[in-house]
C-alpha cells in the first residue's frame, strides 16, 4: 500500500499557504513535513492538525494507493 499527498500540495497552492506556514500553524514537526514530502506514512494526528488548518477532510489531502502486485 502506498500513500500520496499530492492532494495536499495542490490544496496548499489553492489556499496560497507554504510548507513553513502550514507547519507552524498546524504545530507539526519538520520531520513530519519531510515524511509528507516523501509520501511516507504519518500519524493520524498530523493529518488531523493539517485538516484543521486547511479546513478540509483527510481525503482532501491524501490518497491511499492499493498495492497492485497482489
Amino acid at each position: 500500500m502506498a500513500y500520496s499527498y499530492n492532494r495536499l500540495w495542490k490544496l496548499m497552492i489553492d489556499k496560497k499557504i507554504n510548507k513553513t506556514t502550514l507547519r507552524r500553524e498546524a504545530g507539526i514537526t519538520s520531520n513530519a513535513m519531510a515524511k509528507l514530502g516523501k509520501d511516507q506514512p504519518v500519524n493520524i494526528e498530523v493529518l488531523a492538525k493539517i485538516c484543521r488548518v486547511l479546513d478540509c477532510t483527510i481525503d482532501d489531502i491524501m490518497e491511499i494507493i492499493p498495492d497492485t502486485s497482489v
Side-chain angles (χ1 to χ4, degrees):
M1 184 175 341
Y3 304 93
S4 173
Y5 300 104
N6 288 335
R7 294 177 181 179
L8 169 61
W9 312 129
K10 290 176 186 172
L11 185 61
M12 288 172 59
I13 290 168
D14 291 344
K15 295 191 178 243
K16 297 177 173 58
I17 185 170
N18 64 34
K19 290 179 181 181
T20 304
T21 303
L22 177 64
R23 191 177 66 77
R24 187 174 2 99
E25 289 185 14
I28 61 176
T29 65
S30 56
N31 186 36
M33 188 59 77
K35 284 184 175 186
L36 291 167
K38 296 176 185 174
D39 286 335
Q40 295 177 344
V42 295
N43 189 309
I44 192 73
E45 284 297 317
V46 170
L47 298 175
K49 289 176 181 181
I50 291 170
C51 288
R52 203 171 313 123
V53 170
L54 296 178
D55 190 30
C56 65
T57 62
I58 288 178
D59 64 330
D60 291 330
I61 62 171
M62 76 167 291
E63 83 183 292
I64 298 172
I65 303 165
D67 191 4
T68 58
S69 65
V70 175

